[in-house]
Amino acid sequence: MVPRGALRAPPVAAVEVHVNTAIIRQLNVSRVFHALREHPGSSQRELVRFTGLDRATVSTVVAQLEGEDLVERIPKPSRGRAGRPEKALRLSETGGWFVGVRLDPRELHIVATTVDARPLAIRQELGSSDVTVAVRRVGAIVCELAASHDVTLDHILGVGVGVAGLMDRDGRLALGPNLGWHDVPILDLLRAELPVPVYADNDTKAAALAETLFGSCRDVLDFVLVIGHAGIGSALYQGGMLQRGWRGYAGELGHVKVVPGGRACGCGGRGCLEAYASENAILARMAEGGRSCADLREAARLAEQGDAVAREVLEDAGAKLGTVLATVLNLTNPHRIVLGGGLAQVADTLLPALKRVIARDALGLASEGVAVKVSSLGEEAVAMGGVALAMEGFLSLPSWLSGGHFRLRRNGAASRSKEAAEVRPEGS
Ligand SMILES: [Zn+2]
């Protein structure tokens, strides 16, 4: 496996030439943090090896992380070496929470994790077609989760939200085809609701970040992630970098036309992939065939039992997804294709058809050696994407540039959280 630090940042020597020392300091914090997350129980000497940084830098960053209660020292088992026993370091279990949210028209998934992204609590609630209600509900659930674990809001290091829709680079939801929302300042609304650092991105782009940090793409630089829930989105990484496009709207795989003039889509167009292979479309097509299913799990169960309608709908969804992915393969030559979200639940039936079409339609050289996998983050890929957004946002805070400011900010959040609790309307 390629070490995470090697994937996420250019070599230190190269960085020193082009950027100022403050940014290098921030990158160093990120490197040491991720090395500790991936190798808990490391000694400082091992961190030097994992990060490629020098001893003095590792020591400074560890001291800074310890000062923020994010790292703790534990006895390291002796290997019979002479001299002073080494101390093992790990991210502190009580250092804080990251919270990840999937904001979807049908449901809200919220996961609270430790600093090293181990899930502590997961909540699933109904979504809302009213943006104000949905955002308030997210705020209320985060507060309830914290309260039920005897945790104050200042313990939350960041909340990341994956939104099902086209997000621009400033955190505005330009269009939510399945939400019925247009031009909503979703990040501002979320920040007004939650007195903690909040980050937001398109749901699939958030999930792709989670794949690079904790999921199926930690060891590859070039991959395509396809997430299917109410709609279908994709995220493309090339050379370890997410491709956002000019205004940030790249990756709308769900609106590639697969049947000219075909089924109506939430975007206003016809014949989009999403109208055949999204969760909503699969359930609608099942119902048209006389099979009423509550969710994709039920559709998958019917297909496993040999139900002809379920098999036909899922195999057709897989074939149409395969047609679009064959083009993506020809255009971008990824190393891996990963399916997540609801698509992971129906992968057993969908994948064989998808792979057959890719083998038939993609250029041999572009698809040779490309693995098509189901995300190891499964159904919670987007909520874990929120956790990844929060983690990366936290590690990018300007406070890291001059130690000590971060703690002041956390104390500020604690006092603001009281005001927010006082003004929060009942039942919201
Ligand atoms: Zn569409």
Side-chain angles (χ1 to χ4, degrees):
M1 181 185 291
V2 183
R4 188 66 245 153
L7 286 178
R8 300 202 56 72
V12 173
V15 172
E16 282 171 350
V17 172
H18 298 292
V19 298
N20 65 40
T21 51
I23 293 179
I24 295 173
R25 222 175 291 149
Q26 205 166 38
L27 283 175
N28 292 344
V29 169
S30 181
R31 278 187 171 201
V32 172
F33 181 93
H34 284 302
L36 276 171
R37 187 177 59 73
E38 296 210 326
H39 308 281
S42 296
S43 66
Q44 252 174 244
R45 188 171 24 183
E46 286 165 331
L47 287 178
V48 167
R49 186 155 50 87
F50 294 140
T51 59
L53 299 170
D54 61 49
R55 284 177 64 181
T57 304
V58 168
S59 178
T60 304
V61 173
V62 166
Q64 198 177 355
L65 291 169
E66 274 185 304
E68 299 291 354
D69 300 329
L70 294 170
V71 162
E72 58 192 13
R73 290 175 189 259
I74 50 172
K76 192 169 178 73
S78 165
R79 288 192 194 154
R81 236 190 235 120
R84 205 149 49 103
E86 282 189 300
K87 284 280 186 188
L89 300 162
R90 69 177 177 200
L91 293 174
S92 169
E93 284 185 8
T94 54
W97 276 18
F98 289 118
V99 175
V101 179
R102 170 158 80 88
L103 185 55
D104 193 277
R106 285 160 59 106
E107 52 196 347
L108 304 170
H109 284 221
I110 299 186
V111 56
T113 74
T114 54
V115 173
D116 55 355
R118 273 177 298 127
L120 293 166
I122 296 179
R123 285 275 296 272
Q124 297 180 6
E125 300 272 338
L126 282 180
S128 172
S129 56
D130 182 324
V131 64
T132 317
V133 172
V135 167
R136 277 202 183 146
R137 208 167 276 169
V138 168
I141 296 168
V142 172
C143 292
E144 280 166 28
L145 262 181
S148 66
H149 284 74
D150 278 335
V151 159
T152 52
L153 289 187
D154 61 313
H155 194 65
I156 299 176
L157 304 173
V159 175
V161 184
V163 185
L166 279 75
M167 296 279 288
D168 70 15
R169 288 169 179 269
D170 301 320
R172 286 184 82 84
L173 178 69
L175 174 68
N178 296 293
L179 298 164
W181 300 343
H182 298 263
D183 198 25
V184 178
I186 193 92
L187 183 57
D188 290 344
L189 292 177
L190 286 160
R191 284 181 172 162
E193 193 64 26
L194 278 163
V196 297
V198 182
Y199 312 89
D201 203 345
N202 163 267
D203 53 357
T204 311
K205 292 185 176 81
L209 181 61
E211 295 293 348
T212 70
L213 291 177
F214 349 104
S216 310
C217 299
R218 293 157 70 198
D219 57 341
V220 291
L221 296 169
D222 301 273
F223 70 92
V224 178
L225 171 70
V226 182
I227 295 277
H229 282 298
I232 292 182
S234 74
L236 171 67
Y237 268 71
Q238 289 186 306
M241 300 287 289
L242 172 66
Q243 304 303 308
R244 288 186 178 273
W246 172 44
R247 293 177 66 190
Y249 305 143
E252 289 301 318
L253 199 77
H255 303 289
V256 173
K257 305 293 180 278
V258 289
V259 179
R263 295 173 69 90
C265 175
C267 71
R270 286 196 162 272
C272 298
L273 172 65
E274 198 163 294
Y276 295 85
S278 67
E279 195 171 323
N280 286 359
I282 289 170
L283 295 179
R285 294 175 78 195
M286 294 281 294
E288 286 162 20
R291 307 288 189 275
S292 178
C293 295
D295 52 35
L296 284 188
R297 271 199 198 87
E298 209 176 319
R301 215 166 21 245
L302 279 177
E304 276 162 28
Q305 291 163 1
D307 181 85
V309 173
R311 292 205 70 84
E312 191 187 328
V313 168
L314 291 175
E315 284 172 6
D316 183 65
K320 287 191 165 55
L321 196 50
T323 298
V324 175
L325 285 173
T327 302
V328 172
L329 274 162
N330 288 353
L331 282 176
T332 67
N333 188 211
H335 189 163
R336 191 168 292 164
I337 292 174
V338 178
L339 303 186
L343 289 174
Q345 292 168 7
V346 290
D348 284 350
T349 311
L350 191 132
L351 265 182
L354 183 154
K355 287 180 179 174
R356 261 198 311 276
V357 172
I358 284 182
R360 186 193 68 198
D361 291 355
L363 197 63
L365 283 172
S367 60
E368 202 176 272
V370 179
V372 184
K373 299 175 92 169
V374 173
S375 165
S376 58
L377 301 172
E379 197 188 349
E380 297 303 344
V382 174
M384 286 307 290
V387 171
L389 286 180
M391 184 180 282
E392 290 296 275
F394 174 68
L395 291 173
S396 305
L397 285 175
S399 323
W400 290 113
L401 305 181
S402 50
H405 290 178
F406 170 60
R407 184 166 299 283
L408 287 175
R409 187 196 58 70
R410 288 177 83 176
N411 293 340
S415 58
R416 287 202 307 281
S417 70
K418 280 187 202 150
E419 296 161 26
E422 281 159 18
V423 299
R424 195 180 304 286
E426 273 183 30
S428 61

